């Protein structure tokens, strides 16, 4: 009797029966179907995570691959103490709060305006959605030209109101960040609009009619009926957009490269510069993990808020 | 029953939200985490035909910055007198080589005549041209990841030290084939050498020259400036800011070129970036004067929207008659005078790099390197010989891609005919300054970019710019272990 056969017969009848039952069960088929994608997901997501976690505790410069060694939490200490990190966090928070708030207000307003039957509503809604179809890098390139001093369309338009058309909007410390925020608003307001419109259309018209019969004005209906009913959707939209804005990179990189000075250097740009310009993978990974923690705190806050809301409802 | 439904529903929502949050966080991590290059494993090879893959830097190297600034070029050799390295087409025949390079007029030019490689040598070149802002990313990822994706890559000279651990050392090839190094302008050949080892073969030297409007200077009886202060005075007399004719167009946005501009001013005003002990050597009155001049220049003679100009904008302004002067890389000459919208092409003159206390220009050399992980290193070397031959270099110049590093080409009538700025170029090459050979070059340049951009944007006064920059560069040198 071979070793394999002995091992096979050594299995207790109970275990064999359990295994046989399991292989015939729906759960087994489920695991079988899930398996490949699960392995792929783990390989794609887990490997970079573990790699960057290890790298974040190392002195690891791509330009000096033979000098790689562990430094414990030194990279994290450097990150926390670096003035450029604090500057980047401040800029990122400002960018996120201002951009997402305005996108939400605009998205909600457009949704409220277009949530009714009218002629050409389909065309107008499609036009509203167009910026969402463009990739961030394409948007960046478009706005570089639109903002170009002298002959950029935005500059020619502003010139009508007395603004010097040669003013470098993207390169002036006072206007660079607002100009970048404006681009983000243009690009992602349609997302907010889409989510709000979908939410509004799912609200039963009877509720609004009842409020209207009770004498509520349009503003009162929006404020006291529509928005409270939309609240779970609003929180989800704010969470997704908030995390998105926190990680903003492509458009800003193309528009300003983080300048002038470091006026628009958001935190993900700092990680990029460390990794691909300074080749310091250790510190770049530490920044990436700090970003992860910040995003985690942010998302936990919103998810908890949403859960509280559901509980109270 | 309703309780069960309620519980199930509550759990389901929570699970959904949890999944959403996890997915979003996961995406955030994936986006934020740097690319994962596997640890390099290649071992140096011993055979001369398969040179060492990695050159580990054991000790910090003394940078060229500490050395005297300009290295005069050696006397020119008679055109066509140099023998070429022996070709061995059998090694390259039937081999398909992948070349990673910068997508620009350089790659456009090369694409025109690279098919000749197939007929003359028997191999094939596949060009993977990448935009300038992503070329460096792609290079470091593919080189350090040892993907074997490329057999050849063009390398801008500042990155030779950082990329050297991942490039094939070419010294054995050079020796074996009696490569005609003596035909290379020495200061240009050095661009491919790090720690005494050849990693790249320089093929396109670039120096900054002065572009000026001959007609405007002649009309005012002003001679072509040789110093920055003379340029400032000439610009003040010839510009017409109300009609948007600017004195000079110069890069001031946050860009490597802006850092190089500040660097150039610091050097022209008589300072080095580092002293012999690798400490910043420009935090002094001359350094402050250099920064003050840069600020004065952008405030008074550059366009009002100077900080918004990119490379294309600078060239366009010169080609369309919107500026009296442009200080830019010589390789862009053809793209300025041959621009479709050029209105003053025949009125543009070319002069050597400017000086103040010292006359100099930063050197920038594109070189050809062979990744250590290439499976076709010998074939890639054959291509490198073919590409950098006299005929190859003439074709490169005539294709509008740039200049040549070879004496025999620079002195040839064919070159002078193809390049209208040949005289200014040759004079500037003679005062070309080596950039410091540091692995931390990018870190240094990044700080120069940030401080120069803050200076020109009016965010920092000149003195604070120099003081702040000095502190940052000092920290980089300390971290790199250079300082005693």
């Amino acid at each position: 009797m071979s070793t394999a056969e002995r091992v096979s017969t050594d299995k207790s009848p109970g275990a064999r029966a359990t295994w046989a039952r399991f292989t015939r069960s729906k759960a087994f088929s489920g695991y079988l179907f899930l398996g490949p994608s699960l392995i792929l997901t783990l390989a794609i997501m887990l490997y970079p995570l573990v790699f960057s976690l290890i790298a974040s505790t190392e002195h690891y410069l791509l330009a000096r691959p033979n000098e790689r060694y562990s430094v414990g939490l030194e990279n994290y200490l450097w990150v926390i103490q670096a003035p450029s990190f604090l500057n980047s966090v401040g800029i990122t928070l400002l960018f996120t709060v201002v951009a997402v708030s305005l996108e939400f207000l605009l998205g909600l307003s457009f949704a409220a305006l277009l949530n009714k039957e009218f002629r050409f509503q389909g065309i107008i809604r499609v036009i509203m959605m167009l910026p969402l179809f463009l990739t961030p890098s394409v948007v960046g390139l478009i706005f570089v030209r639109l903002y170009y001093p002298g002959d950029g369309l935005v500059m020619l338009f502003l010139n009508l109101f007395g603004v010097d058309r040669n003013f470098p909007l993207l390169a002036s410390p006072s206007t660079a960040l607002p100009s970048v925020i404006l681009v983000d608003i243009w690009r992602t307001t349609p997302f907010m609009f889409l989510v709000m419109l979908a939410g509004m259309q799912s609200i039963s018209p009877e509720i609004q009619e009842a409020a209207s019969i009770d004498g509520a004005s349009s503003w009162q209906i929006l404020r006291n009926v529509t928005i409270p009913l939309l609240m779970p959707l609003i929180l989800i939209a704010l969470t997704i957009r908030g995390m998105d804005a926190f990680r903003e990179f492509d458009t800003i990189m193309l528009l300003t490269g983080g300048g002038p000075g470091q006026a628009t250097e958001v935190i993900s740009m700092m990680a990029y510069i460390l990794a691909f310009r300074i080749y310091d993978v250790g510190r770049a990974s530490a920044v990436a993990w700090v970003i992860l923690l910040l995003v985690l705190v942010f998302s936990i806050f919103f998810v908890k808020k949403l859960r509280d809301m559901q509980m109270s409802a | 029953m309703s309780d069960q439904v309620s519980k199930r529903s509550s759990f389901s929502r929570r699970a959904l939200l949890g999944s959403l949050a996890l997915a979003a966080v996961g995406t955030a991590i994936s986006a934020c985490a740097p690319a994962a290059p596997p640890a390099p494993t290649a071992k140096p090879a011993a055979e001369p035909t398969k040179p060492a893959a990695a050159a580990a830097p054991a000790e910090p190297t003394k940078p060229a910055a500490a050395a005297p600034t300009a290295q005069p070029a050696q006397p020119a050799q008679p055109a066509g007198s140099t023998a070429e390295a022996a070709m061995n087409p059998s090694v390259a025949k039937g081999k398909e080589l992948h070349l990673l390079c910068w997508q620009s007029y350089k790659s456009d030019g090369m694409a025109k005549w690279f098919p000749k490689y197939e007929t003359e040598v028997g191999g094939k070149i596949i060009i993977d041209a990448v935009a300038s802002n992503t070329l460096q990313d792609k290079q470091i990822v593919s080189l350090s990841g040892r993907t074997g994706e490329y057999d050849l890559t063009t390398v801008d000279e500042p990155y030779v030290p950082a990329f050297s651990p991942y490039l094939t050392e070419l010294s054995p090839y050079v020796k074996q084939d009696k490569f005609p190094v003596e035909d290379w302008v020495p200061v240009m050949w050095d661009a491919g050498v790090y720690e005494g080892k050849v990693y790249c073969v320089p093929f396109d030297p670039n120096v900054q020259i002065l572009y000026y409007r001959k007609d405007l200077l002649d009309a005012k009886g002003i001679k072509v400036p040789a110093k920055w202060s003379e340029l400032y005075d000439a610009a003040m007399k010839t510009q017409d800011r109300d009609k948007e004719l600017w004195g000079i167009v110069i890069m001031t946005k946050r860009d490597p070129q802006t850092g190089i501009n500040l660097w150039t001013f610091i050097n022209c005003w008589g300072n080095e970036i580092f002293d012999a002990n690798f400490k910043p050597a420009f935090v002094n009155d001359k350094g402050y004067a250099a920064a003050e001049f840069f600020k004065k220049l952008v405030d008074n003679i550059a366009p009002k929207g100077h900080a918004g100009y990119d490379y294309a904008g600078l060239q366009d302004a010169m080609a369309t008659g919107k500026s009296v002067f442009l200080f830019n890389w010589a390789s862009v000459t053809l793209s300025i005078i041959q621009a479709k919208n050029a209105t003053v092409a025949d009125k543009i003159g070319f002069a050597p790099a400017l000086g103040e206390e010292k006359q100099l220009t930063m050197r920038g050399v594109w070189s050809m390197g062979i990744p250590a992980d290439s499976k076709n290193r010998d074939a890639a070397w054959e291509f490198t010989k073919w590409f950098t031959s006299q005929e190859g270099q003439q074709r490169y110049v005539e294709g509008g891609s740039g200049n040549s590093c070879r004496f025999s080409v620079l002195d040839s009538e064919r070159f002078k005919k193809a390049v209208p700025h040949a005289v200014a170029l040759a004079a500037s090459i003679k005062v070309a300054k080596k950039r410091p050979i540091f692995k931390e070059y990018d870190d240094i340049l990044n700080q120069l970019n940030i401080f120069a951009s803050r200076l020109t944007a009016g965010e920092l006064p000149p003195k604070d710019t120099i003081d702040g920059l000095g502190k940052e560069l000092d920290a980089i040198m300390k971290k790199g272990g250079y300082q005693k």
Side-chain angles (χ1 to χ4, degrees):
Chain A
M1 188 184 277
S2 72
T3 312
E5 282 167 327
R6 268 205 310 275
V7 169
S8 172
T9 48
D10 282 352
K11 273 187 181 174
S12 67
R16 272 209 304 273
T18 311
W19 174 248
R21 260 203 314 278
F22 177 65
T23 54
R24 283 196 297 271
S25 71
K26 277 186 179 177
F28 179 72
S29 314
Y31 285 122
L32 219 56
F33 282 115
L34 260 178
S37 58
L38 204 66
I39 291 167
L40 201 69
T41 308
L42 284 177
I44 291 170
M45 287 184 68
L46 213 62
Y47 175 73
L49 268 179
V50 173
F51 176 87
S52 67
L53 185 63
I54 294 168
S56 72
T57 61
E58 288 179 328
H59 171 85
Y60 180 13
L61 299 171
L62 283 180
R64 298 177 185 277
N66 298 336
E67 296 174 18
R68 190 174 169 182
Y69 52 87
S70 175
V71 291
L73 295 175
E74 205 175 276
N75 289 332
Y76 288 94
L77 286 175
W78 176 85
V79 168
I80 292 164
Q81 289 166 0
S84 55
F85 173 74
L86 297 176
N87 173 66
S88 296
V89 170
I91 289 166
T92 309
L93 284 174
L94 188 63
F95 174 85
T96 305
V97 170
V98 175
V100 175
S101 308
L102 291 173
E103 284 157 19
F104 165 66
L105 288 175
L106 283 170
L108 186 70
S109 309
F110 289 140
L113 280 172
L114 298 177
N115 184 29
K116 49 186 82 158
E117 294 293 319
F118 61 92
R119 223 175 159 194
F120 305 123
Q121 65 163 357
I123 294 171
I124 289 173
R125 281 178 191 171
V126 169
I127 291 171
M128 282 290 298
M129 298 299 299
L130 279 180
L132 207 55
F133 301 141
L134 298 173
T135 60
S137 49
V138 171
V139 172
L141 289 172
I142 290 171
F143 273 86
V144 163
R145 291 313 309 169
L146 292 177
Y147 281 141
Y148 211 79
D151 57 2
L153 270 181
V154 171
M155 300 316 298
L156 293 176
F157 175 73
L158 291 177
N159 191 237
L160 298 175
F161 303 96
V163 176
D164 185 349
R165 65 187 174 87
N166 283 303
F167 186 80
L169 273 181
L170 290 173
S172 167
S174 55
T175 55
L177 191 60
S179 304
V180 165
I181 289 174
L182 203 68
V183 176
D184 192 68
I185 290 170
W186 180 84
R187 185 170 66 88
T188 47
T189 294
F191 169 77
M192 286 290 190
F193 162 73
L194 187 71
V195 175
M196 294 303 121
L197 187 67
M200 283 179 187
Q201 291 188 338
S202 69
I203 296 172
S204 167
E206 285 85 4
I207 300 173
Q208 287 165 331
E209 276 169 27
S212 179
I213 290 165
D214 287 344
S217 65
S218 299
W219 168 244
Q220 283 172 321
I221 293 172
L222 180 73
R223 193 179 154 209
N224 300 318
V225 178
T226 312
I227 291 179
L229 287 171
L230 283 177
M231 204 44 101
L233 261 185
I234 289 172
L235 277 177
I236 289 174
L238 288 178
T239 309
I240 293 171
R241 266 304 301 144
M243 288 191 294
D244 219 15
F246 206 87
R247 296 179 295 112
E248 181 64 43
F249 173 75
D250 329 38
T251 314
I252 302 180
M253 189 69 191
L254 281 160
L255 287 170
T256 63
Q262 290 172 296
T264 55
E265 190 175 296
V266 286
I267 194 167
S268 44
M269 195 173 288
M270 185 189 173
Y272 168 81
I273 289 169
L274 278 168
F276 292 103
R277 291 289 172 269
I278 299 170
Y279 309 132
D280 193 336
V281 179
R283 285 178 177 176
S285 302
V287 172
W289 275 90
V290 173
I291 298 173
L292 164 70
L293 289 177
L294 291 172
V295 173
L296 203 63
V297 169
F298 173 81
S299 54
I300 286 173
F301 169 78
F302 272 93
V303 170
K304 194 172 176 304
K305 194 94 183 149
L306 193 57
R307 193 184 298 163
D308 292 348
M309 204 176 284
Q310 283 176 330
M311 297 291 270
S312 62
Chain B
M1 181 67 187
S2 69
D3 277 349
Q4 281 173 354
V5 171
S6 164
K7 272 179 191 168
R8 209 162 53 209
S9 157
S10 163
F11 172 77
S12 162
R13 271 185 216 147
R14 208 174 292 164
L16 173 70
L17 287 172
S19 312
L20 266 177
L22 272 175
V25 168
T27 315
I29 299 160
S30 309
C32 296
T41 51
K43 290 175 184 170
E47 311 83 41
T49 46
K50 291 174 183 171
E59 295 293 323
T61 321
K62 287 210 169 200
T69 55
Q71 294 193 9
Q74 283 182 353
Q77 313 271 316
S81 68
T82 312
E84 293 289 8
M87 287 291 292
N88 184 9
S90 61
V91 174
K93 203 166 184 181
K95 292 267 169 63
E96 196 176 86
L97 303 175
H98 291 257
L99 164 68
L100 175 63
C101 66
W102 173 29
Q103 182 172 35
S104 61
Y105 56 95
K106 293 188 188 296
S107 58
D108 292 347
M110 291 191 288
K112 287 180 206 162
W113 59 276
F114 271 14
K116 287 181 195 283
Y117 182 69
E118 202 164 353
T119 52
E120 291 174 11
V121 182
K124 197 174 178 187
I125 300 293
I126 310 290
I127 299 177
D128 186 3
V130 179
S132 64
N133 53 351
T134 49
L135 175 64
Q136 207 184 324
D137 304 357
K138 188 148 189 176
Q139 281 177 319
I140 194 67
V141 169
S142 69
L143 288 174
S144 65
R146 298 189 185 274
T147 60
E149 195 180 353
Y150 297 104
D151 303 301
L152 293 149
T153 180
T154 60
V155 183
D156 199 2
E157 70 158 296
Y159 310 118
V160 172
F163 293 171
S164 63
Y166 312 106
L167 292 172
T168 303
E169 193 203 328
L170 302 177
S171 313
Y173 285 113
V174 169
K175 196 176 169 189
Q176 175 190 277
D177 285 351
K178 295 190 175 71
F179 196 76
V181 178
E182 65 285 354
D183 194 34
W184 260 252
V185 178
V187 74
M188 300 303 170
W189 178 259
D190 284 354
V193 179
Y194 179 61
E195 293 184 332
K197 294 172 183 171
V198 179
Y199 286 101
C200 294
V201 176
F203 62 87
D204 184 1
N206 218 349
V207 285
Q208 290 183 288
I209 61 170
L210 180 68
Y211 297 81
Y212 64 93
R213 283 283 298 278
K214 290 182 282 189
D215 57 325
L216 297 176
L217 293 193
D218 289 348
K220 300 266 180 184
I222 299 168
K223 66 171 188 163
V224 179
K227 290 184 169 186
W228 281 104
S229 50
E230 291 172 9
L231 175 139
Y232 182 83
D233 293 341
M236 288 297 280
K237 286 175 191 161
T238 46
Q239 68 174 353
D240 188 344
R241 298 179 76 77
D242 292 336
K243 290 183 181 167
E244 297 188 0
L245 172 63
W246 315 111
I248 189 169
V249 274
I250 187 167
M251 188 86 84
T252 61
K253 65 190 278 193
R254 183 170 165 182
D255 184 277
Q257 184 58 49
T258 306
I260 285 174
N261 288 339
L262 177 59
W263 196 340
T264 304
F265 287 122
I266 287 171
N267 287 153
C268 282
W269 260 251
N271 273 320
E272 288 297 331
I273 288 287
F274 298 114
D275 64 16
N277 295 319
F278 307 103
K279 291 196 164 140
F282 55 89
V283 187
N284 51 37
D285 287 345
K286 284 181 180 177
Y288 300 145
E292 271 163 23
F293 181 81
F294 193 7
K295 182 76 172 89
K296 185 173 89 167
L297 182 118
V298 298
D299 283 351
N300 299 330
I301 60 172
K304 285 179 195 165
H306 56 82
Y309 280 65
D310 53 17
Y311 269 116
L314 300 180
Q315 292 167 31
D316 186 69
M318 195 69 210
T320 56
K322 289 179 187 158
S323 183
V324 184
F325 294 109
L326 165 69
F327 191 66
N328 208 334
W329 298 99
S331 62
V332 301
T333 303
L334 293 183
S335 53
I336 291 176
I337 61 174
Q338 291 174 358
K340 282 178 187 164
N341 62 341
T343 53
V344 293
D346 56 332
K347 293 170 185 161
I348 295 174
F350 313 97
L354 297 165
E356 194 61 33
E357 195 175 310
K358 284 181 190 170
Q359 183 201 8
L360 58 86
T361 165
M362 204 62 77
R363 180 193 69 180
V365 186
W366 281 98
S367 305
M368 190 63 76
I370 301 173
D373 55 293
S374 163
K375 291 176 186 70
N376 300 305
R377 286 189 286 183
D378 290 348
W381 172 246
E382 285 305 308
F383 169 79
T384 305
K385 285 189 288 182
W386 177 83
F387 174 62
T388 58
S389 67
Q390 291 171 49
E391 182 58 28
Q393 289 284 275
Q394 294 283 11
R395 288 169 178 165
Y396 183 80
V397 173
E398 287 162 359
S401 297
N403 304 307
S404 171
C405 292
R406 298 190 63 162
F407 283 123
S408 55
V409 176
L410 291 169
D411 284 340
S412 69
E413 286 307 314
R414 198 170 152 189
F415 175 78
K416 286 171 188 163
K417 196 179 162 191
V419 180
H421 59 285
V423 176
L425 175 71
S428 293
I429 284 177
K430 285 177 185 169
V431 294
K433 181 178 170 52
K434 259 176 151 178
R435 296 192 215 183
I437 306 293
F438 288 120
K439 295 207 172 199
E440 290 78 4
Y441 174 82
D442 258 353
D443 207 353
I444 294 166
L445 190 57
N446 184 44
Q447 291 304 330
L448 275 155
N449 300 342
I450 290 170
F451 279 92
S453 156
R454 293 179 74 185
L455 168 75
T456 54
E459 212 182 306
L460 274 183
K463 188 176 181 305
D464 292 359
T465 302
I466 294 296
D467 290 346
L469 179 61
K471 276 182 194 160
E472 291 295 337
L473 296 195
D474 193 46
I476 293 170
M477 289 293 101
K478 272 184 187 149
K479 184 189 162 200
Y482 294 90
Q483 293 179 354
K484 286 170 190 169

